[in-house]
Amino acid sequence: MTPRDVRRHHLAQAEAGTVSATCLTTVGLGNATRVGCSQASTPPLFGTINILVHVSCALSQAALIETISIVTQARTAAVLALDYRPHGEVVSGTGTDCIVVAAPQAGEPARFAGLHTLIGEAVGAAVLAAVSEGGVAWCNERNASRPRASA
């Protein structure tokens, strides 16, 4: 569903203390929308944000859920910073965004992964960098907007 050739992916890595996170993403905004703004009557166009994140430590179920939340927040922050307004209001993502988080199964799983943890810091930084870079590239290729500096 992405208009991006997967060879045009964006990769970012970040470390916080003993934790590292890697984000691989393809960014397309042809299907862009704003949270709370249903466009269900309009068939979606091709163009979505696909995100794969790898965290270097094992995660408990609660930490996995928190990590997905961090990925979502970082993705949204990056898209909002683009100031892309195809429908008048700045968009916050696409209608078909996809997030996958991978972590090792070995080792003692981290109990938490919120914004105030090393996991949250590393994951947030990696996703923010990769999605910002991908969003700016997509907009520039299409002259879709004049993106501000990436977050």
Side-chain angles (χ1 to χ4, degrees):
M1 289 296 291
T2 184
R4 307 292 287 168
D5 182 324
V6 293
R7 292 173 293 187
R8 300 199 42 125
H9 64 274
H10 298 272
L11 181 69
Q13 295 177 310
E15 293 184 11
T18 59
V19 177
S20 64
T22 304
C23 177
L24 175 70
T25 186
T26 56
V27 179
L29 297 171
N31 186 9
T33 190
R34 182 176 180 84
V35 67
C37 179
S38 174
Q39 296 169 338
S41 61
T42 307
L45 300 172
F46 287 107
T48 194
I49 301 170
N50 296 305
I51 300 171
L52 171 61
V53 174
H54 177 267
V55 182
S56 64
C57 61
L59 302 172
S60 67
Q61 186 173 13
L64 176 60
I65 292 167
E66 288 177 315
T67 300
I68 293 168
S69 173
I70 300 296
V71 173
T72 304
Q73 289 181 59
R75 183 268 338 260
T76 303
V79 172
L80 289 171
L82 292 171
D83 199 32
Y84 180 50
R85 299 169 181 265
H87 314 294
E89 290 188 297
V90 67
V91 297
S92 59
T94 80
T96 53
D97 289 349
C98 180
I99 295 170
V100 174
V101 174
Q105 290 186 324
E108 183 66 28
R111 292 179 55 208
F112 305 104
L115 287 174
H116 296 291
T117 67
L118 295 176
I119 297 167
E121 181 182 342
V123 167
V127 173
L128 189 60
V131 176
S132 293
E133 181 181 295
V136 167
W138 189 90
C139 288
N140 285 341
E141 288 170 11
R142 286 158 184 76
N143 293 317
S145 70
R146 298 205 191 316
R148 295 184 279 207
S150 60

